[in-house]
Amino acid sequence: FHVIRNILRQYLTDSLPHDMPNEQASRIDFGFVADYIAMNNLPSRPLQPAAGFNREHDIVLDSQCCVAYNVPHYGLSSKKLEAMAAADMQAAQLGRPRSISCQVLLSSQTTRFAKHAANVDELLAMAPLDPDERVILHFHGGAYCVGERSLTHIHIYAQISRTTGLRVFSPNYRLAPRHCFPSQLHDCFSVYSYMIHCGFKPKNIVLAGDSAGGALAVGVMFLLRDMKLPRPAAVVLISPWVDATCSGESWTRNQGLDYLPALSLDDPFHPTRMFYDAGREFSEQMLDELRCPLVSPIFSTNFSGMPPMLIQMGRNELLHDDIQLFADRIKQHNPGGAKLSLEV
């Protein structure tokens, strides 16, 4: 927790010039900013055996593994997703397929590990260990800008694996500001689709995510539902960042109680700005685009077809009001639907 807090403060708050005027956003070299932030993105390192074992795999998006989208009702977001899918397919057909790395982790304090400890390679494979293996696909947080191969998340995954007895899969999706929306959502959707291609059954997959990763989990669910594709068994959201406009009153009320920075959207270095369209001047048009449910799930009016969902949040966090309203809207727009549990 303290490492995550210090990283966010150092790389997203204390070290960036947050007094730069909105109208000068286009003058910022966000490639340099991305290189600077990437200093945190450490190479993958193995866990200590007492905690568990992890391995990083490269998922190659060949022509059989490329995804396609048919969700025109999301407007500009739909067009961006379609363009990314087309670029992946073109790269695959030219023999230069893109790849996405993915962590696979299993706690050494599980029954499965105790039974198969002699074959760690098999335990960390990107394939089901048995036909009905249940797994967790977790999308990490970090304001879409930090967290790739995060050692802090590796230890969180080890605790999740130990508690559930399940393997945890976590994609290293592309990060902002080098890669803006919807790169992260496209990568997460592609990894879910790849796991189905590898033989994992949707009914045995639990989608999970913390902070920005929570919004990605909901976004993947929206895409699966809208395209009538097989959906996972359940969704777990930990302090999900469901409103990229940061409109809840708790962003003001809980300042000083949360380690997250509370910045203005007029700030070119606001994580929302860097994630969505780095270097673009903030305007009413951008604000309207940020209200797309694939960017900010809180603005959806259709929560039908969602699996059982567990949401956890802190009473004093900046995201509190946004998460509470998100949960309320799920109940409002999905009466009699899947079970929702909110833990505060």
Side-chain angles (χ1 to χ4, degrees), residues 296-311:
S296 300
I298 195 173
F299 293 105
S300 177
T301 57
N302 179 13
F303 291 97
S304 63
M306 300 295 280
M309 184 178 299
L310 169 64
I311 304 176

Side-chain angles (χ1 to χ4, degrees), residues 91-107:
Q93 293 173 341
L94 292 173
R96 298 191 296 269
R98 189 170 69 88
S99 63
I100 306 171
S101 65
C102 183
Q103 294 280 351
V104 181
L105 183 146
L106 177 66
S107 169

Side-chain angles (χ1 to χ4, degrees), residues 222-268:
F222 285 163
L223 293 173
L224 293 171
R225 178 201 62 194
D226 294 349
M227 292 192 286
K228 296 180 172 56
L229 297 174
R231 281 160 277 176
V235 178
V236 178
L237 308 177
I238 305 170
S239 297
W241 186 16
V242 291
D243 181 3
T245 72
C246 307
S247 60
E249 292 183 2
S250 55
W251 282 93
T252 300
R253 184 180 70 251
N254 289 344
Q255 285 189 40
L257 300 175
D258 195 333
Y259 70 91
L260 289 174
L263 306 173
S264 168
L265 281 173
D266 286 328
D267 181 351

Side-chain angles (χ1 to χ4, degrees), residues 35-90:
D35 290 339
Y36 178 71
I37 294 175
M39 293 169 59
N40 164 60
N41 296 326
L42 304 173
S44 176
R45 297 183 183 180
L47 288 165
Q48 294 297 318
F53 293 85
N54 67 293
R55 182 160 300 163
E56 188 170 314
H57 297 265
D58 281 332
I59 297 173
V60 179
L61 299 180
D62 57 28
S63 57
Q64 292 185 332
C65 296
C66 288
V67 301
Y69 298 100
N70 182 22
V71 285
H73 49 286
Y74 290 116
L76 180 60
S77 296
S78 301
K79 294 178 180 178
K80 290 182 177 181
L81 282 170
E82 291 166 3
M84 288 188 174
D88 279 351
M89 179 59 75
Q90 182 179 35

